[in-house]
Amino acid sequence: MSFAPSAVLVTGGAGFIGSNYLLHVVPRYADTLFVNLDALTYAGNLANLTDIEARDNYRFVHGDVTDADLLSRLFAEYGFDAVVHFAAESHVDRSILDPTAFVRTNVHGTLVLMQAARAAWKGSEDICRFHHISTDEVFGSLGPEGHFTADTSYAPRSPYAASKASADHLVRAFATTYGLPVVITNTSNNYGPWQFPEKLIPLVIRNAVAGEPIPVYGRGENVRDWLFVEDHVEALDRVLRSAPNGSTWLIGGDQEISNLELVERLLDEVDRQTGSQVGTRRPLIRFVTDRPGHDFRYALDSSPIQEQLGWQPKHDLEKGLQRTVRWYLDHIRWMENILDGEYRSYYATQYGSRGMN
Ligand code: NAD
Ligand code: TDX
């Protein structure tokens, strides 16, 4: 299977993974038009995209994936033959504070987008493709052993995970019922440049640089598998261009670590790169009230994408964390600029009552 789209609608391209994706594909495929549709929520930031904003094969449209009229106009104007759907509310802690926007964007938004694709692609399904970006969290929580595979039953446990699982089910239902040509990817925790500092790794780096307390939920024993975002976007490009219709791919980094160990390694790396004695920042760690329903562990079996599509992650955790800390130290202003009043009030709500001191 080989697919070379001519016009791609990328949703959520001003967010963390979407902007890394556009920075990768826009310069690489000069003959393909990429239209970035993004509502610019608190998580969207056009400053991520300055390197490509003037390219002839890139356009930005400020709009919402739930806006059916806008979508039908965009499909008519640009004649998309591919959609890569990143747009979502993506932070588990925010979904616990208020799930409403998660159902609106992640479930209803995915439905509206597929309706638009379905109407535009009637009769041309074999030359079009809808790539839905999803997460390992749809599978629930693992114990200390084992991996999720594409055959694992869904068992989402947070409102975020439930909204992503609902979207995945709708995408498969559209494939089965209407013949929508879809591919789905479920990925583990991404990290790297341009990640909004509500997520663990950039939050730790920011607080470490500022000398502020580092919140670790529970005892820091929960385990995540970390994937460097540039490795992820390479995998996404392969899936869009070479995976068969209807297929699902799990993309993990094979880099599992407990949260406490990760935080310690990050703090030591910040010490190293700022010329402090290694270990100086570890006393900033604070164990705080756990996340409700906190999934213990995620791990994905990525062997099918490695064996069948020839993808391999290029960064192990050591190399990825070094690059990530370097990047945030070089982009302190970018980070401080996005921490506006909305973030400060979220931070106060999220951490104020959790025993941070
Ligand atoms: P993000 O929160 O950084 O970015 C989301 C983007 O979507 C933002 O630019 C935001 O403005 C936009 N957006 C939100 N609601 C919208 C709407 N209604 N209409 C249009 N645009 C809207 O998210 P991310 O970390 O880049 O995640 C991207 C995708 O990857 C999501 O679908 C997420 O579920 C999935 N994912 C993320 C991770 C991770 O570790 N970050 C891991 C697995 C899967
Ligand atoms: O302050 C914190 N302290 C802490 O201990 C934060 C923000 C997180 N944590 C823990 C919770 C998790 O076990 O660190 C781990 C990672 O947390 P997040 O960065 O919030 O990521 P997670 O909840 O694992 O979800 C991420 O990976 C899967 C993304 O945010 C999702 O969008 C993706 O689907």
Side-chain angles (χ1 to χ4, degrees), residues 292-346:
H294 196 174
D295 288 340
F296 176 66
R297 172 173 168 259
Y298 309 129
L300 291 172
D301 175 7
S302 315
S303 55
I305 188 169
Q306 299 197 7
E307 286 159 17
Q308 293 167 43
L309 300 187
W311 170 81
Q312 288 282 344
K314 296 193 178 81
H315 297 77
D316 62 14
L317 198 56
E318 187 181 353
K319 187 165 153 199
L321 290 183
Q322 278 170 3
R323 277 196 59 190
T324 303
V325 168
R326 183 74 265 148
W327 189 90
Y328 283 91
L329 292 178
D330 290 344
H331 291 78
I332 294 286
R333 181 171 296 188
W334 171 86
M335 185 142 63
E336 294 304 332
N337 280 348
I338 60 178
L339 300 182
D340 61 5
E342 190 280 339
Y343 178 74
R344 289 180 206 289
S345 97
Y346 159 75

CSV table of all heavy atoms in Angstrom, one decimal, residues 292-346:
chain,number,residue,atom,x,y,z
A,292,PRO,N,-7.1,11.0,41.1
A,292,PRO,CA,-8.2,10.0,41.3
A,292,PRO,C,-8.1,9.0,40.1
A,292,PRO,O,-8.0,9.4,39.0
A,292,PRO,CB,-9.5,10.8,41.3
A,292,PRO,CG,-9.1,12.2,41.5
A,292,PRO,CD,-7.6,12.4,41.0
A,293,GLY,N,-8.3,7.7,40.5
A,293,GLY,CA,-8.3,6.7,39.4
A,293,GLY,C,-7.0,6.6,38.6
A,293,GLY,O,-7.0,6.2,37.4
A,294,HIS,N,-5.9,7.0,39.2
A,294,HIS,CA,-4.6,7.1,38.5
A,294,HIS,C,-4.2,5.7,37.9
A,294,HIS,O,-3.9,4.8,38.7
A,294,HIS,CB,-3.6,7.5,39.6
A,294,HIS,CG,-2.3,8.0,39.0
A,294,HIS,ND1,-1.3,8.5,39.8
A,294,HIS,CD2,-1.8,8.1,37.7
A,294,HIS,CE1,-0.3,8.9,39.0
A,294,HIS,NE2,-0.6,8.6,37.8
A,295,ASP,N,-4.2,5.6,36.6
A,295,ASP,CA,-3.7,4.4,36.0
A,295,ASP,C,-2.3,4.0,36.4
A,295,ASP,O,-1.4,4.9,36.4
A,295,ASP,CB,-3.8,4.5,34.4
A,295,ASP,CG,-5.2,4.6,33.9
A,295,ASP,OD1,-6.1,4.2,34.6
A,295,ASP,OD2,-5.3,5.1,32.8
A,296,PHE,N,-2.1,2.7,36.8
A,296,PHE,CA,-0.8,2.4,37.3
A,296,PHE,C,0.3,2.4,36.2
A,296,PHE,O,1.3,3.0,36.4
A,296,PHE,CB,-0.8,1.0,38.0
A,296,PHE,CG,0.5,0.6,38.5
A,296,PHE,CD1,1.2,1.3,39.5
A,296,PHE,CD2,1.2,-0.4,37.9
A,296,PHE,CE1,2.5,1.0,39.9
A,296,PHE,CE2,2.5,-0.8,38.3
A,296,PHE,CZ,3.1,-0.1,39.3
A,297,ARG,N,0.0,1.7,35.1
A,297,ARG,CA,1.1,1.5,34.1
A,297,ARG,C,0.5,1.4,32.7
A,297,ARG,O,-0.6,0.8,32.6
A,297,ARG,CB,1.9,0.3,34.5
A,297,ARG,CG,2.9,-0.2,33.5
A,297,ARG,CD,3.8,-1.3,34.0
A,297,ARG,NE,4.5,-1.8,32.8
A,297,ARG,CZ,4.2,-3.0,32.2
A,297,ARG,NH1,3.2,-3.7,32.5
A,297,ARG,NH2,5.0,-3.3,31.2
A,298,TYR,N,1.2,2.0,31.8
A,298,TYR,CA,0.9,1.7,30.3
A,298,TYR,C,2.1,1.2,29.7
A,298,TYR,O,3.2,1.6,30.0
A,298,TYR,CB,0.6,3.0,29.6
A,298,TYR,CG,-0.5,4.0,30.2
A,298,TYR,CD1,-0.2,5.3,30.4
A,298,TYR,CD2,-1.7,3.5,30.5
A,298,TYR,CE1,-1.2,6.2,30.9
A,298,TYR,CE2,-2.7,4.3,31.1
A,298,TYR,CZ,-2.4,5.7,31.3
A,298,TYR,OH,-3.3,6.5,31.8
A,299,ALA,N,1.9,0.2,28.8
A,299,ALA,CA,3.1,-0.2,27.9
A,299,ALA,C,2.5,-0.8,26.7
A,299,ALA,O,1.4,-1.5,26.7
A,299,ALA,CB,3.9,-1.3,28.7
A,300,LEU,N,3.0,-0.5,25.5
A,300,LEU,CA,2.5,-0.9,24.2
A,300,LEU,C,3.4,-1.9,23.6
A,300,LEU,O,4.7,-1.7,23.6
A,300,LEU,CB,2.4,0.3,23.3
A,300,LEU,CG,1.3,1.3,23.7
A,300,LEU,CD1,1.4,2.6,22.8
A,300,LEU,CD2,-0.1,0.7,23.6
A,301,ASP,N,2.9,-2.9,22.9
A,301,ASP,CA,3.7,-3.8,22.1
A,301,ASP,C,3.8,-3.1,20.7
A,301,ASP,O,2.9,-3.2,19.9
A,301,ASP,CB,3.0,-5.1,22.0
A,301,ASP,CG,3.7,-6.1,21.0
A,301,ASP,OD1,4.8,-5.7,20.5
A,301,ASP,OD2,3.2,-7.2,20.7
A,302,SER,N,4.9,-2.5,20.4
A,302,SER,CA,5.1,-1.8,19.1
A,302,SER,C,5.7,-2.7,18.0
A,302,SER,O,6.2,-2.2,17.0
A,302,SER,CB,6.0,-0.6,19.2
A,302,SER,OG,5.7,0.2,20.3
A,303,SER,N,5.9,-4.0,18.3
A,303,SER,CA,6.6,-4.9,17.3
A,303,SER,C,5.9,-4.9,16.0
A,303,SER,O,6.6,-4.9,14.9
A,303,SER,CB,6.8,-6.3,17.9
A,303,SER,OG,5.6,-6.9,18.3
A,304,PRO,N,4.6,-4.8,15.8
A,304,PRO,CA,4.0,-4.8,14.5
A,304,PRO,C,4.5,-3.6,13.6
A,304,PRO,O,4.8,-3.8,12.4
A,304,PRO,CB,2.5,-4.8,14.7
A,304,PRO,CG,2.3,-5.5,16.0
A,304,PRO,CD,3.5,-5.0,16.9
A,305,ILE,N,4.5,-2.4,14.2
A,305,ILE,CA,4.9,-1.3,13.3
A,305,ILE,C,6.4,-1.4,13.0
A,305,ILE,O,6.9,-1.0,12.0
A,305,ILE,CB,4.5,0.1,13.9
A,305,ILE,CG1,4.8,1.2,13.0
A,305,ILE,CG2,5.2,0.4,15.3
A,305,ILE,CD1,4.2,2.5,13.3
A,306,GLN,N,7.2,-1.9,14.0
A,306,GLN,CA,8.6,-2.1,13.7
A,306,GLN,C,8.8,-3.1,12.6
A,306,GLN,O,9.6,-2.9,11.7
A,306,GLN,CB,9.3,-2.5,15.0
A,306,GLN,CG,9.1,-1.4,16.1
A,306,GLN,CD,10.1,-1.5,17.2
A,306,GLN,OE1,11.0,-2.3,17.2
A,306,GLN,NE2,9.9,-0.7,18.3
A,307,GLU,N,8.1,-4.3,12.7
A,307,GLU,CA,8.4,-5.4,11.8
A,307,GLU,C,7.7,-5.1,10.4
A,307,GLU,O,8.3,-5.4,9.4
A,307,GLU,CB,7.9,-6.7,12.4
A,307,GLU,CG,8.8,-7.2,13.5
A,307,GLU,CD,8.1,-8.2,14.4
A,307,GLU,OE1,7.0,-8.7,14.0
A,307,GLU,OE2,8.6,-8.4,15.5
A,308,GLN,N,6.5,-4.5,10.4
A,308,GLN,CA,5.8,-4.4,9.2
A,308,GLN,C,6.0,-3.1,8.4
A,308,GLN,O,5.9,-3.1,7.2
A,308,GLN,CB,4.3,-4.7,9.4
A,308,GLN,CG,4.0,-6.1,9.8
A,308,GLN,CD,2.6,-6.3,10.4
A,308,GLN,OE1,1.6,-5.8,9.8
A,308,GLN,NE2,2.4,-7.0,11.5
A,309,LEU,N,6.2,-2.0,9.2
A,309,LEU,CA,6.4,-0.7,8.5
A,309,LEU,C,7.8,-0.2,8.6
A,309,LEU,O,8.1,0.9,8.2
A,309,LEU,CB,5.4,0.3,9.1
A,309,LEU,CG,3.9,0.0,8.9
A,309,LEU,CD1,3.1,1.2,9.3
A,309,LEU,CD2,3.5,-0.4,7.5
A,310,GLY,N,8.7,-1.0,9.3
A,310,GLY,CA,10.1,-0.6,9.4
A,310,GLY,C,10.4,0.6,10.2
A,310,GLY,O,11.5,1.2,10.0
A,311,TRP,N,9.5,0.9,11.1
A,311,TRP,CA,9.8,2.1,12.0
A,311,TRP,C,10.6,1.7,13.3
A,311,TRP,O,10.3,0.6,13.8
A,311,TRP,CB,8.5,2.7,12.4
A,311,TRP,CG,8.6,3.8,13.5
A,311,TRP,CD1,9.0,5.1,13.2
A,311,TRP,CD2,8.4,3.7,14.9
A,311,TRP,NE1,9.1,5.8,14.5
A,311,TRP,CE2,8.7,4.9,15.5
A,311,TRP,CE3,8.0,2.6,15.7
A,311,TRP,CZ2,8.6,5.1,16.8
A,311,TRP,CZ3,7.9,2.8,17.1
A,311,TRP,CH2,8.2,4.1,17.6
A,312,GLN,N,11.5,2.5,13.7
A,312,GLN,CA,12.2,2.3,14.9
A,312,GLN,C,12.4,3.7,15.6
A,312,GLN,O,12.7,4.6,14.9
A,312,GLN,CB,13.7,1.9,14.7
A,312,GLN,CG,13.8,0.4,14.2
A,312,GLN,CD,13.7,-0.6,15.3
A,312,GLN,OE1,13.8,-0.2,16.4
A,312,GLN,NE2,13.5,-1.8,14.9
A,313,PRO,N,12.1,3.8,16.9
A,313,PRO,CA,12.4,5.1,17.6
A,313,PRO,C,14.0,5.3,17.6
A,313,PRO,O,14.7,4.4,17.8
A,313,PRO,CB,11.9,4.9,19.0
A,313,PRO,CG,11.7,3.4,19.2
A,313,PRO,CD,11.6,2.8,17.9
A,314,LYS,N,14.4,6.6,17.4
A,314,LYS,CA,15.8,6.9,17.4
A,314,LYS,C,16.3,7.3,18.7
A,314,LYS,O,17.5,7.5,18.9
A,314,LYS,CB,16.1,7.9,16.3
A,314,LYS,CG,15.7,7.5,14.9
A,314,LYS,CD,16.3,8.5,13.9
A,314,LYS,CE,16.0,8.1,12.5
A,314,LYS,NZ,14.7,8.4,12.0
A,315,HIS,N,15.4,7.7,19.6
A,315,HIS,CA,15.8,8.2,20.9
A,315,HIS,C,15.5,7.3,22.0
A,315,HIS,O,14.4,6.9,22.2
A,315,HIS,CB,15.1,9.6,21.2
A,315,HIS,CG,15.4,10.6,20.2
A,315,HIS,ND1,14.9,10.7,18.9
A,315,HIS,CD2,16.3,11.7,20.3
A,315,HIS,CE1,15.3,11.7,18.3
A,315,HIS,NE2,16.2,12.4,19.1
A,316,ASP,N,16.5,6.9,22.8
A,316,ASP,CA,16.2,6.3,24.1
A,316,ASP,C,16.0,7.4,25.1
A,316,ASP,O,16.1,8.6,24.8
A,316,ASP,CB,17.3,5.3,24.5
A,316,ASP,CG,18.7,6.0,24.8
A,316,ASP,OD1,18.7,7.3,24.8
A,316,ASP,OD2,19.7,5.3,24.9
A,317,LEU,N,15.6,7.0,26.3
A,317,LEU,CA,15.2,8.1,27.3
A,317,LEU,C,16.3,9.0,27.6
A,317,LEU,O,16.1,10.2,27.7
A,317,LEU,CB,14.6,7.4,28.5
A,317,LEU,CG,13.8,8.3,29.4
A,317,LEU,CD1,12.6,8.9,28.7
A,317,LEU,CD2,13.3,7.4,30.6
A,318,GLU,N,17.5,8.5,27.7
A,318,GLU,CA,18.7,9.3,28.1
A,318,GLU,C,18.9,10.4,27.0
A,318,GLU,O,19.0,11.6,27.4
A,318,GLU,CB,19.9,8.4,28.2
A,318,GLU,CG,21.1,9.2,28.8
A,318,GLU,CD,22.3,8.4,28.9
A,318,GLU,OE1,22.3,7.1,28.7
A,318,GLU,OE2,23.4,9.0,29.2
A,319,LYS,N,18.9,10.0,25.8
A,319,LYS,CA,19.2,11.0,24.7
A,319,LYS,C,18.0,11.9,24.6
A,319,LYS,O,18.2,13.2,24.4
A,319,LYS,CB,19.3,10.2,23.4
A,319,LYS,CG,19.7,11.0,22.2
A,319,LYS,CD,20.2,10.0,21.1
A,319,LYS,CE,20.0,10.6,19.7
A,319,LYS,NZ,20.1,9.5,18.7
A,320,GLY,N,16.8,11.4,24.7
A,320,GLY,CA,15.6,12.2,24.5
A,320,GLY,C,15.5,13.3,25.7
A,320,GLY,O,15.1,14.4,25.4
A,321,LEU,N,15.8,12.8,26.9
A,321,LEU,CA,15.7,13.8,28.0
A,321,LEU,C,16.8,14.9,27.9
A,321,LEU,O,16.5,16.0,28.2
A,321,LEU,CB,15.8,13.1,29.4
A,321,LEU,CG,14.6,12.2,29.8
A,321,LEU,CD1,14.8,11.6,31.1
A,321,LEU,CD2,13.3,12.9,29.7
A,322,GLN,N,18.0,14.5,27.5
A,322,GLN,CA,19.0,15.5,27.3
A,322,GLN,C,18.6,16.5,26.3
A,322,GLN,O,18.7,17.7,26.5
A,322,GLN,CB,20.3,14.8,26.8
A,322,GLN,CG,21.2,14.2,27.8
A,322,GLN,CD,22.3,13.3,27.2
A,322,GLN,OE1,22.5,13.3,26.0
A,322,GLN,NE2,23.0,12.7,28.1
A,323,ARG,N,18.0,16.1,25.2
A,323,ARG,CA,17.6,17.0,24.1
A,323,ARG,C,16.5,17.9,24.6
A,323,ARG,O,16.4,19.1,24.3
A,323,ARG,CB,17.1,16.3,22.9
A,323,ARG,CG,18.3,15.9,22.0
A,323,ARG,CD,17.8,15.5,20.6
A,323,ARG,NE,17.1,16.6,19.9
A,323,ARG,CZ,16.4,16.5,18.8
A,323,ARG,NH1,16.3,15.3,18.2
A,323,ARG,NH2,15.8,17.5,18.3
A,324,THR,N,15.5,17.3,25.4
A,324,THR,CA,14.4,18.0,25.9
A,324,THR,C,14.7,19.1,26.9
A,324,THR,O,14.3,20.2,26.8
A,324,THR,CB,13.3,17.0,26.5
A,324,THR,OG1,13.0,16.0,25.5
A,324,THR,CG2,12.1,17.7,26.9
A,325,VAL,N,15.6,18.7,27.8
A,325,VAL,CA,16.0,19.7,28.8
A,325,VAL,C,16.7,20.9,28.1
A,325,VAL,O,16.5,22.0,28.4
A,325,VAL,CB,16.9,19.1,29.9
A,325,VAL,CG1,17.6,20.1,30.8
A,325,VAL,CG2,16.1,18.1,30.8
A,326,ARG,N,17.6,20.5,27.2
A,326,ARG,CA,18.3,21.6,26.4
A,326,ARG,C,17.3,22.5,25.7
A,326,ARG,O,17.5,23.7,25.7
A,326,ARG,CB,19.3,20.9,25.4
A,326,ARG,CG,20.2,21.7,24.5
A,326,ARG,CD,21.3,22.3,25.3
A,326,ARG,NE,21.1,23.6,25.8
A,326,ARG,CZ,21.5,24.1,27.0
A,326,ARG,NH1,22.3,23.4,27.8
A,326,ARG,NH2,21.2,25.3,27.3
A,327,TRP,N,16.3,21.9,25.1
A,327,TRP,CA,15.4,22.7,24.3
A,327,TRP,C,14.6,23.6,25.2
A,327,TRP,O,14.5,24.8,24.9
A,327,TRP,CB,14.4,21.7,23.6
A,327,TRP,CG,13.5,22.5,22.6
A,327,TRP,CD1,13.8,22.8,21.3
A,327,TRP,CD2,12.3,23.2,22.9
A,327,TRP,NE1,12.8,23.5,20.8
A,327,TRP,CE2,11.8,23.8,21.7
A,327,TRP,CE3,11.5,23.3,24.0
A,327,TRP,CZ2,10.7,24.5,21.6
A,327,TRP,CZ3,10.3,24.0,23.9
A,327,TRP,CH2,9.9,24.6,22.8
A,328,TYR,N,14.1,23.1,26.4
A,328,TYR,CA,13.4,24.0,27.3
A,328,TYR,C,14.3,25.1,27.9
A,328,TYR,O,13.8,26.3,28.0
A,328,TYR,CB,12.6,23.2,28.3
A,328,TYR,CG,11.4,22.6,27.8
A,328,TYR,CD1,11.4,21.3,27.2
A,328,TYR,CD2,10.2,23.3,27.7
A,328,TYR,CE1,10.3,20.7,26.6
A,328,TYR,CE2,9.1,22.7,27.1
A,328,TYR,CZ,9.1,21.4,26.6
A,328,TYR,OH,8.0,20.9,26.0
A,329,LEU,N,15.5,24.8,28.2
A,329,LEU,CA,16.4,25.8,28.7
A,329,LEU,C,16.6,26.9,27.6
A,329,LEU,O,16.8,28.1,27.9
A,329,LEU,CB,17.8,25.2,29.1
A,329,LEU,CG,17.7,24.3,30.3
A,329,LEU,CD1,19.1,23.7,30.6
A,329,LEU,CD2,17.2,25.0,31.6
A,330,ASP,N,16.6,26.5,26.4
A,330,ASP,CA,16.8,27.5,25.3
A,330,ASP,C,15.5,28.2,24.9
A,330,ASP,O,15.5,29.1,24.1
A,330,ASP,CB,17.3,26.7,24.0
A,330,ASP,CG,18.8,26.3,24.1
A,330,ASP,OD1,19.5,26.7,25.1
A,330,ASP,OD2,19.2,25.4,23.3
A,331,HIS,N,14.4,27.7,25.5
A,331,HIS,CA,13.1,28.3,25.1
A,331,HIS,C,12.3,28.8,26.3
A,331,HIS,O,11.1,28.6,26.4
A,331,HIS,CB,12.2,27.3,24.3
A,331,HIS,CG,12.8,27.1,22.9
A,331,HIS,ND1,13.9,26.3,22.7
A,331,HIS,CD2,12.5,27.6,21.7
A,331,HIS,CE1,14.1,26.3,21.4
A,331,HIS,NE2,13.3,27.1,20.8
A,332,ILE,N,13.0,29.3,27.3
A,332,ILE,CA,12.4,29.7,28.6
A,332,ILE,C,11.3,30.8,28.3
A,332,ILE,O,10.2,30.8,28.8
A,332,ILE,CB,13.4,30.3,29.6
A,332,ILE,CG1,14.3,29.2,30.0
A,332,ILE,CG2,12.7,31.0,30.8
A,332,ILE,CD1,13.7,28.2,31.0
A,333,ARG,N,11.7,31.7,27.3
A,333,ARG,CA,10.7,32.8,27.0
A,333,ARG,C,9.4,32.2,26.4
A,333,ARG,O,8.3,32.6,26.7
A,333,ARG,CB,11.4,33.8,26.1
A,333,ARG,CG,10.4,34.9,25.8
A,333,ARG,CD,11.0,36.1,25.1
A,333,ARG,NE,12.1,36.7,25.9
A,333,ARG,CZ,12.7,37.8,25.6
A,333,ARG,NH1,12.4,38.4,24.5
A,333,ARG,NH2,13.6,38.3,26.4
A,334,TRP,N,9.6,31.3,25.5
A,334,TRP,CA,8.4,30.6,24.9
A,334,TRP,C,7.5,30.0,26.0
A,334,TRP,O,6.3,30.2,26.0
A,334,TRP,CB,8.9,29.5,23.9
A,334,TRP,CG,7.7,28.6,23.4
A,334,TRP,CD1,7.0,28.9,22.3
A,334,TRP,CD2,7.2,27.4,24.0
A,334,TRP,NE1,6.0,27.8,22.2
A,334,TRP,CE2,6.2,26.9,23.2
A,334,TRP,CE3,7.6,26.6,25.1
A,334,TRP,CZ2,5.4,25.8,23.5
A,334,TRP,CZ3,6.9,25.5,25.4
A,334,TRP,CH2,5.8,25.1,24.6
A,335,MET,N,8.1,29.4,26.9
A,335,MET,CA,7.4,28.7,28.0
A,335,MET,C,6.7,29.8,28.9
A,335,MET,O,5.5,29.7,29.2
A,335,MET,CB,8.3,27.9,28.8
A,335,MET,CG,7.6,27.1,29.9
A,335,MET,SD,8.3,25.4,30.0
A,335,MET,CE,9.9,25.8,30.6
A,336,GLU,N,7.4,30.8,29.3
A,336,GLU,CA,6.8,31.8,30.2
A,336,GLU,C,5.7,32.5,29.5
A,336,GLU,O,4.7,32.9,30.1
A,336,GLU,CB,7.9,32.8,30.7
A,336,GLU,CG,8.9,32.1,31.7
A,336,GLU,CD,8.2,31.3,32.9
A,336,GLU,OE1,7.2,31.7,33.3
A,336,GLU,OE2,8.9,30.3,33.3
A,337,ASN,N,5.8,32.8,28.1
A,337,ASN,CA,4.8,33.5,27.4
A,337,ASN,C,3.5,32.8,27.4
A,337,ASN,O,2.4,33.4,27.2
A,337,ASN,CB,5.3,33.7,25.9
A,337,ASN,CG,6.2,34.9,25.8
A,337,ASN,OD1,6.4,35.6,26.8
A,337,ASN,ND2,6.9,35.0,24.7
A,338,ILE,N,3.5,31.4,27.4
A,338,ILE,CA,2.2,30.7,27.3
A,338,ILE,C,1.6,30.5,28.7
A,338,ILE,O,0.5,30.0,28.8
A,338,ILE,CB,2.3,29.4,26.5
A,338,ILE,CG1,3.3,28.5,27.2
A,338,ILE,CG2,2.7,29.7,25.1
A,338,ILE,CD1,3.4,27.1,26.5
A,339,LEU,N,2.3,30.8,29.7
A,339,LEU,CA,1.8,30.6,31.1
A,339,LEU,C,0.9,31.8,31.5
A,339,LEU,O,1.4,32.6,32.3
A,339,LEU,CB,2.9,30.3,32.1
A,339,LEU,CG,3.7,29.0,31.7
A,339,LEU,CD1,4.7,28.8,32.8
A,339,LEU,CD2,2.8,27.8,31.5
A,340,ASP,N,-0.2,32.0,30.9
A,340,ASP,CA,-1.0,33.1,31.1
A,340,ASP,C,-1.9,32.9,32.4
A,340,ASP,O,-1.8,32.0,33.1
A,340,ASP,CB,-1.9,33.5,29.9
A,340,ASP,CG,-2.8,32.3,29.6
A,340,ASP,OD1,-2.9,31.3,30.4
A,340,ASP,OD2,-3.5,32.4,28.6
A,341,GLY,N,-2.9,33.9,32.5
A,341,GLY,CA,-3.7,33.8,33.7
A,341,GLY,C,-4.6,32.5,33.8
A,341,GLY,O,-4.8,32.0,34.9
A,342,GLU,N,-5.0,32.0,32.6
A,342,GLU,CA,-5.8,30.8,32.6
A,342,GLU,C,-5.0,29.7,33.2
A,342,GLU,O,-5.4,28.9,34.1
A,342,GLU,CB,-6.2,30.4,31.2
A,342,GLU,CG,-7.2,29.3,31.0
A,342,GLU,CD,-6.6,27.9,31.2
A,342,GLU,OE1,-5.4,27.7,30.9
A,342,GLU,OE2,-7.4,27.0,31.5
A,343,TYR,N,-3.7,29.6,32.8
A,343,TYR,CA,-2.8,28.5,33.4
A,343,TYR,C,-2.6,28.7,34.8
A,343,TYR,O,-2.7,27.7,35.6
A,343,TYR,CB,-1.5,28.5,32.6
A,343,TYR,CG,-0.6,27.4,33.2
A,343,TYR,CD1,-0.8,26.1,32.9
A,343,TYR,CD2,0.5,27.7,34.0
A,343,TYR,CE1,0.0,25.1,33.4
A,343,TYR,CE2,1.3,26.7,34.6
A,343,TYR,CZ,1.1,25.4,34.2
A,343,TYR,OH,1.9,24.4,34.8
A,344,ARG,N,-2.4,29.9,35.3
A,344,ARG,CA,-2.1,30.1,36.7
A,344,ARG,C,-3.3,29.7,37.5
A,344,ARG,O,-3.2,29.2,38.6
A,344,ARG,CB,-1.7,31.6,36.9
A,344,ARG,CG,-0.3,31.8,36.4
A,344,ARG,CD,0.3,33.2,36.5
A,344,ARG,NE,1.3,33.5,35.5
A,344,ARG,CZ,2.5,32.9,35.4
A,344,ARG,NH1,2.9,32.0,36.3
A,344,ARG,NH2,3.3,33.2,34.4
A,345,SER,N,-4.5,30.0,37.0
A,345,SER,CA,-5.7,29.7,37.8
A,345,SER,C,-5.9,28.2,37.8
A,345,SER,O,-6.3,27.5,38.8
A,345,SER,CB,-6.9,30.5,37.4
A,345,SER,OG,-7.7,29.8,36.5
A,346,TYR,N,-5.6,27.5,36.6
A,346,TYR,CA,-5.7,26.0,36.6
A,346,TYR,C,-4.7,25.4,37.6
A,346,TYR,O,-5.0,24.5,38.4
A,346,TYR,CB,-5.3,25.5,35.2
A,346,TYR,CG,-4.9,24.1,35.2
A,346,TYR,CD1,-5.8,23.0,35.3
A,346,TYR,CD2,-3.5,23.8,35.1
A,346,TYR,CE1,-5.4,21.7,35.4
A,346,TYR,CE2,-3.1,22.4,35.1
A,346,TYR,CZ,-4.0,21.4,35.3
A,346,TYR,OH,-3.6,20.1,35.4
